[in-house]
Amino acid sequence: MTPEQKLAELGLTLPQVPVPVANYVPFRIVGDLLYLSGQGPKRPDGTYRPGRLGRDATIEEGYADAQLAGLQLLAVAKAALGDLSRITAVVKLLGMVNAEPDFADHPKVINGCSDLLVDVLGEAGRHARSAVGMGSLPNAMTVEVEAILQIAPILQIAPIPPIAP
């Protein structure tokens, strides 16, 4: 089953790829690595879910927000690659949580993204990860997640030279 079929089976659709609002690109391919810029919990109306874990948002809400960020990451990866099946491994995630100083459940929040990637990509979705707290995030959003993915090259078949008589 392809990752796109798995998304459909889970009842999930990829959102539109966000347009950068500053001087950066949403992704960069270097060799067999795809670097994805940080993504947040963007809602269908284009707004981000604001709040701080431990004050305005629960762990469950943060988990759902991290899942939305994961869908955004997959949308950017699909735009970059054309096919999510080219992802051979999620190498590393950096999950940032907009949290109160005494909040200590950052990993439980970022599990929303991690669980989504494993559900959609299978073993290729397992990854190294950091889940850290931040004093603030852009747009006051609850979470931001960036990723490094290993990708398969596009195979190009060389034309067969003519055989000499």
Side-chain angles (χ1 to χ4, degrees), residues 43-61:
R43 299 180 226 178
D45 68 1
T47 63
Y48 291 91
R49 173 145 153 55
R52 290 179 63 80
L53 276 288
R55 183 183 74 197
D56 310 310
T58 66
I59 292 170
E60 294 77 20
E61 290 169 326

Side-chain angles (χ1 to χ4, degrees), residues 65-156:
D65 291 345
Q67 184 181 46
L68 280 176
L71 284 171
Q72 292 282 64
L73 289 169
L74 288 172
V76 174
K78 183 163 177 73
L81 304 172
D83 180 0
L84 294 176
S85 294
R86 285 190 58 206
I87 299 169
T88 58
V90 177
V91 177
K92 175 80 191 270
L93 287 187
L94 171 59
M96 298 161 275
V97 180
N98 186 358
E100 289 292 293
D102 62 343
F103 185 78
D105 289 317
H106 308 84
K108 290 180 183 176
V109 171
I110 300 304
N111 279 345
C113 184
S114 294
D115 292 347
L116 172 74
L117 294 175
V118 172
D119 288 346
V120 172
L121 301 171
E123 282 302 309
R126 296 201 185 282
H127 51 269
R129 182 183 87 177
S130 297
V132 298
M134 299 289 172
S136 67
L137 287 172
N139 300 305
M141 59 189 170
T142 53
V143 299
E144 182 175 358
V145 184
E146 65 178 48
I148 301 169
L149 311 177
Q150 184 180 41
I151 58 172
I154 296 175
L155 298 177
Q156 295 184 1

